[in-house]
Amino acid sequence: MSNSQAGTKSIGNRLWKIITSPSRMMLTVGAVVILVSVIRQFTGIDDITSPGATGATIRFTIPILMAGLGGLWAERSGVINIGLEGMMILGTWFGAWFGFLYGPWVGILAGAIGGAIAGLLHAVLTVRVGIDQAVSGLAINLLGAGTARFLSGVFFIGKGGDVNISPQVNSTGSFTVPGLSPFLTTIAHKHILVISDIAGVFAGFVTKINWASLVMFLALPLTAWILWKTRFGLRMRFCGENPVAAESLGVNVYRTRFIALAVSGGLAGLGGAYISIVSTGNYLEGQTAGRGYIGLAAVIFGNWTPAGVLGGSVLFGLTDALRVRQSTSVHALLLIVISLAAAYGLTKLRKKDWKGFIINMAIAGLVLAYYMVNKVVPDEFVTFFPNLTTILVLAFLSQRLRPPAMAGAPYRKGEEG
Amino acid sequence: MKKLNKLFWALAAPVAAIIFTLIFVSIILLFKGANPLSTFQLIASYGSQTDNIVAELNQTVAYYLAGVAAAIGFRMLLFNIGIDGQYRLAIFFAAVVGGATNLPPFLEVPLIVITGMVVGALWASIAGYLKVKRNISEVISNIMLNTIASGLIIYLLQPSRLGLKGKSSDNLATPMIPKSGWMPTFHIFGGQLYSFGLVAIAVGVLYWIVLNKSVFGFNLRATGMSFRAARASGVNAPRMVFITMAISGGIAGLTGMGELLSNTHTYSLAFPTGYALTGLALALLGRSNPIGIAIAAFFWSFLEQAAPALDLNGVPKEIVMMMQGTIILATVTAYEIVKRITRRQQQRLVGASEAPRVEAAEKGDKK
């Protein structure tokens, strides 16, 4: 037991060092690129690094990223927001309906407002009244789903929609960088080792990018800047770490948390509006499909940092995109897991850690056996990949995680602890 | 007088919550151009029709067990949102085991029921382990485990694995449980009342006895009230948390068992989701009291059975979902407010009884 715990600790240490040091990160990214392109060449599954796959990954990543950033705002201020899913649902509905009436950009704004209203409700109930944060969040999920269903029945019928589907919304439009996009795409189609892979991925970033994706992505640097470079951000994080001390130093904890939760709901609403306006072009009942919870998972995976949330969102968005496009791609990803486990096992050998070596090789061997026996990874497994990853991260890297100290704890003004 | 006051404040919260919800729903009904009073009358008369009552009672049993499962967690300040995954995985495996064996009834039925409880308890103990050993919020891990359970069930239900092609084209189901694994039903009001309800009553009684009359129950409540104090007085608090989570999961595994043993005899994806939220709502409404939960559970299934009546009145029946969400929020809010009012009352009482002494002391100071 103690031995394996030491092992997991060192995985965490290493991951952390890689993430925090630029040169190591460059090396790692380089190694992963080479690995992926070798695997692509070997399996002949070219979709992994095609421009189309990158584009799809972006489309799947943005809603998760928005929900994740929403979760980050809430938890950094000290309130856990399980209601992200309900706020997203409201975002999809308001986005689609106002998008249909007044154009897609108004729709996106309306989606944000719809989510923000639910965020404020969460704030009133948890911060003002002081009810349990999980109860409030879950009830908001129920309310969000119920409200969207009810409103659909009231507004969509007779306007080209139905009880569970809205009329079509105009597109927000997309752009392609002239010159660069066709150039990179041509290289990508030549299937040269490494070069085509890099070109393919970059081509995805400059081909048919939706304006809404670009605008919403800006929320990431903006969040990072506000939370870590402004006075308000410092105070907000203070409220998440120690509200009693914050209050005693003159920070208005209640007001700060109200603002944070309104922004949190607004971001989740934006993610919802993106799904209904950009991904499908209309509201469909149940189309968020638990992405609010996956956003919550991205926050944990990302260790409560903006860059980490991005990493989690991309990972979860990538698996989603590959599953939808070509399920054999996910199967090929297993080879990456095998290579990483084997490589890590070899580093153990250098340290003469026989147990670690055997465990890692056994993992690699088992996954390899699975890879050889099965042709595809079952869809059901890919669907819960983000959830499983989160459980594993929580289980094995929990010593490395640093959540805001007082996130989830009730706080009343004037009462200690 | 003191007791009456206490009773008044205990009832004030749920009553206020229900009144608030009725007002809220009335506003929505008016907005839709429907008459609230006649709609409520319609709900009441539709729900109390004899052929609906049996369906309501059967549903009440399932909700009641989910409510008790949630209430056990609440006593420990555990928020078991994983009831959903625990119950579906439990019923799934219970149906698989029941479908694969054919023992005499007195062995077959307990085998199925115990399988369900064990599976539910095992699935819940993953969250319990993570909570105790890794200090991970059971809310997060359970939400993730719910999705994983859904995926696992769909994976295992494929015809090439444990499932069969169902009666309808693409409705997958487990093999039929043989007749020896069926539980009898009572014929009343022209309906089939599941005898599994008796098990639910036994669970309720057991819950009350264990919690209030046993050392284990005392330790459990003590740990729920103060983890540190319980630990200091020799209770193995982490172990209590783990066991409570497992028991809660085991009871969750009984949810829906009546449906399986007396009606469907097979597990399919038609088994409803969302029992976790319902269970938590009922435990909150009933204040974790076995009888309170039963009343709340009946109220809840009454509302749901009557929902189709709303459609007849031109009101989308989805309004029931909004009503349930509102009831949860209103109840919890009302309890919180009542808690604060009674605390202030107590403070005032203490203040009044202490006042003469304080005055005397102050006078003494002046001298």
Side-chain angles (χ1 to χ4, degrees):
Chain A
M1 189 66 208
S2 64
N3 208 340
S4 72
Q5 251 174 5
T8 56
K9 218 168 191 174
S10 71
I11 294 177
N13 264 325
R14 263 148 209 261
L15 266 180
W16 194 239
K17 272 184 191 150
I18 288 166
I19 291 165
T20 46
S21 132
S23 57
R24 271 169 192 263
M25 193 163 162
M26 293 295 272
L27 264 175
T28 317
V29 169
V32 169
V33 167
I34 291 169
L35 186 65
V36 169
S37 67
V38 168
I39 284 169
R40 178 190 58 75
Q41 203 82 1
F42 172 66
T43 56
I45 295 164
D46 295 324
D47 197 43
I48 296 182
T49 57
S50 74
T54 311
T57 303
I58 293 172
R59 280 194 296 282
F60 278 103
T61 299
I62 294 282
I64 299 173
L65 178 66
M66 289 296 119
L69 290 177
L72 185 69
W73 272 78
E75 297 205 10
R76 277 291 179 181
S77 82
V79 183
I80 289 177
N81 188 357
I82 292 172
L84 285 170
E85 178 76 7
M87 296 170 193
M88 270 190 122
I89 293 173
L90 287 174
T92 57
W93 195 91
F94 279 95
W97 179 241
F98 285 91
F100 167 69
L101 289 180
Y102 306 110
W105 291 104
V106 178
I108 286 175
L109 192 67
I113 293 171
I117 291 171
L120 281 173
L121 177 64
H122 190 53
V124 170
L125 292 170
T126 57
V127 179
R128 256 292 151 208
V129 182
I131 72 171
D132 190 282
Q133 296 172 2
V135 174
S136 169
L138 291 166
I140 284 175
N141 288 340
L142 199 65
L143 265 182
T147 308
R149 268 198 206 176
F150 176 75
L151 292 176
S152 304
V154 176
F155 288 103
F156 291 165
I157 295 169
K159 294 271 170 50
D162 207 340
V163 287
N164 53 8
I165 183 167
S166 80
Q168 202 70 23
V169 182
N170 288 331
S171 164
T172 41
S174 55
F175 68 92
T176 298
V177 180
L180 199 55
S181 162
F183 171 68
L184 288 172
T185 313
T186 333
I187 299 178
H189 286 309
K190 293 219 161 77
H191 302 314
I192 311 164
L193 199 67
V194 182
I195 295 171
S196 288
D197 297 297
I198 296 173
V201 171
F202 274 103
F205 280 105
V206 292
T207 312
K208 283 195 205 147
I209 288 298
N210 199 297
W211 285 108
S213 310
L214 189 70
V215 171
M216 287 197 195
F217 186 79
L218 292 179
L220 177 76
L222 210 61
T223 297
W225 181 73
I226 293 175
L227 260 58
W228 272 269
K229 298 285 171 201
T230 67
R231 196 154 62 172
F232 172 77
L234 180 68
R235 289 178 175 176
M236 195 181 112
R237 287 183 292 124
F238 197 2
C239 293
E241 300 294 345
N242 193 339
V244 177
E247 192 84 57
S248 73
L249 291 177
V251 178
N252 188 336
V253 176
Y254 285 5
R255 197 178 62 197
T256 311
R257 287 186 172 176
F258 261 74
I259 297 170
L261 284 173
V263 174
S264 170
L267 286 167
L270 275 179
Y274 185 92
I275 294 176
S276 64
I277 296 174
V278 179
S279 304
T280 55
N282 57 2
Y283 165 87
L284 297 166
E285 193 176 298
Q287 71 186 151
T288 54
R291 290 220 171 71
Y293 297 129
I294 293 180
L296 216 56
V299 175
I300 297 167
F301 185 86
N303 201 7
W304 291 265
T305 63
V309 171
L310 176 69
S313 309
V314 170
L315 180 66
F316 301 153
L318 175 73
T319 41
D320 240 5
L322 290 182
R323 170 175 64 94
V324 170
R325 285 173 69 83
Q326 197 183 2
S327 48
T328 46
S329 309
V330 182
H331 191 229
L333 285 185
L334 283 183
L335 284 175
I336 298 181
V337 176
I338 297 166
S339 322
L340 289 179
Y344 190 60
L346 285 177
T347 63
K348 290 272 176 194
L349 195 62
R350 211 182 53 195
K351 283 187 204 157
K352 300 215 166 105
D353 176 3
W354 295 105
K355 202 173 164 190
F357 171 71
I358 291 167
I359 288 173
N360 277 289
M361 284 305 170
I363 292 173
L366 280 176
V367 182
L368 185 66
Y370 185 87
Y371 176 85
M372 301 294 250
V373 172
N374 296 280
K375 283 270 175 290
V376 289
V377 178
D379 243 18
E380 297 86 12
F381 287 4
V382 186
T383 336
F384 64 65
F385 168 77
N387 309 70
L388 189 62
T389 316
T390 308
I391 293 271
L392 292 177
V393 166
L394 282 171
F396 294 113
L397 299 177
S398 59
Q399 280 100 337
R400 287 279 122 203
L401 294 178
R402 247 285 296 141
M406 284 298 151
Y411 166 74
R412 308 289 319 155
K413 200 191 278 185
E415 288 175 20
E416 182 84 35
Chain B
M1 188 60 208
K2 219 175 174 184
K3 234 179 178 169
L4 213 70
N5 189 33
K6 215 178 157 189
L7 186 73
F8 170 76
W9 286 112
L11 287 177
V15 170
I18 287 168
I19 291 173
F20 176 82
T21 308
L22 287 179
I23 294 172
F24 175 76
V25 173
S26 301
I27 292 171
I28 293 175
L29 287 170
L30 286 172
F31 167 72
K32 262 296 276 178
N35 182 353
L37 277 179
S38 65
T39 309
F40 291 140
Q41 258 171 6
L42 199 68
I43 292 181
S45 66
Y46 194 86
S48 48
Q49 275 169 23
T50 48
D51 45 339
N52 284 335
I53 287 217
V54 175
E56 276 157 28
L57 286 174
N58 285 336
Q59 187 64 65
T60 302
V61 170
Y63 283 163
Y64 179 67
L65 288 164
V68 171
I72 293 171
F74 275 163
R75 283 300 169 95
M76 188 64 107
L77 297 185
L78 281 176
F79 205 85
N80 187 3
I81 187 69
I83 290 173
D84 219 37
Q86 289 148 18
Y87 121 81
R88 277 183 299 141
L89 213 58
I91 299 293
F92 170 75
F93 277 107
V96 167
V97 169
T101 52
N102 193 358
L103 302 167
F106 67 91
L107 286 175
E108 181 81 2
V109 172
L111 175 72
I112 295 172
V113 173
I114 288 169
T115 305
M117 289 186 78
V118 170
V119 171
L122 284 177
W123 193 248
S125 57
I126 297 176
Y129 175 83
L130 290 175
K131 169 101 183 168
V132 173
K133 289 285 175 196
R134 304 281 177 195
N135 198 19
I136 293 161
S137 152
E138 75 284 2
V139 178
I140 300 290
S141 57
N142 270 324
I143 285 176
M144 303 301 154
L145 285 170
N146 277 345
T147 318
I148 296 175
S150 299
L152 268 182
I153 289 172
I154 298 173
Y155 173 76
L156 292 172
L157 256 184
Q158 298 306 314
S160 56
R161 301 190 181 96
L162 296 172
L164 292 174
K165 269 262 187 274
K167 281 164 253 164
S168 54
S169 57
D170 53 4
N171 189 7
L172 299 164
T174 58
M176 257 322 194
I177 297 173
K179 276 237 162 64
S180 61
W182 295 18
M183 254 181 119
T185 55
F186 304 118
H187 298 262
I188 49 161
F189 295 136
Q192 310 271 337
L193 187 66
Y194 307 156
S195 52
F196 195 76
L198 298 174
V199 177
I201 293 171
V203 167
V205 173
L206 215 65
Y207 164 75
W208 189 83
I209 292 175
V210 168
L211 217 59
N212 294 306
K213 303 285 168 202
S214 75
V215 176
F216 175 79
F218 178 81
N219 287 347
L220 195 152
R221 283 181 295 137
T223 315
M225 278 173 199
S226 172
F227 191 86
R228 278 155 74 189
R231 206 168 189 180
S233 56
V235 178
N236 188 343
R239 193 165 148 263
M240 290 302 295
V241 170
F242 180 80
I243 292 175
T244 310
M245 199 70 201
I247 293 177
S248 177
I251 303 294
L254 293 175
T255 309
M257 200 60 93
E259 188 76 11
L260 178 73
L261 293 173
S262 297
N263 186 20
T264 61
H265 310 298
T266 168
Y267 178 89
S268 71
L269 295 179
F271 269 82
T273 59
Y275 273 177
L277 254 181
T278 310
L280 293 167
L282 297 176
L284 287 171
L285 273 171
R287 305 214 75 174
S288 301
N289 174 301
I291 293 168
I293 300 170
I295 296 170
F298 183 74
F299 173 66
W300 209 258
S301 52
F302 184 91
L303 267 185
E304 284 188 353
Q305 281 297 319
L310 289 167
D311 262 351
L312 301 176
N313 210 13
V315 181
K317 63 174 184 294
E318 285 70 36
I319 202 180
V320 168
M321 220 169 152
M322 294 171 79
M323 248 169 115
Q324 292 174 337
T326 314
I327 290 176
I328 298 176
L329 289 181
T331 316
V332 182
T333 307
Y335 279 137
E336 190 65 33
I337 292 170
V338 164
K339 195 171 95 190
R340 233 169 274 154
I341 292 174
T342 45
R343 191 193 292 163
R344 213 169 298 148
Q345 273 184 347
Q346 281 168 353
Q347 281 168 348
R348 209 171 297 143
L349 271 175
V350 173
S353 65
E354 291 290 304
R357 272 214 314 209
V358 174
E359 263 172 45
E362 276 175 359
K363 268 181 196 163
D365 278 350
K366 272 176 198 166
K367 273 178 193 173

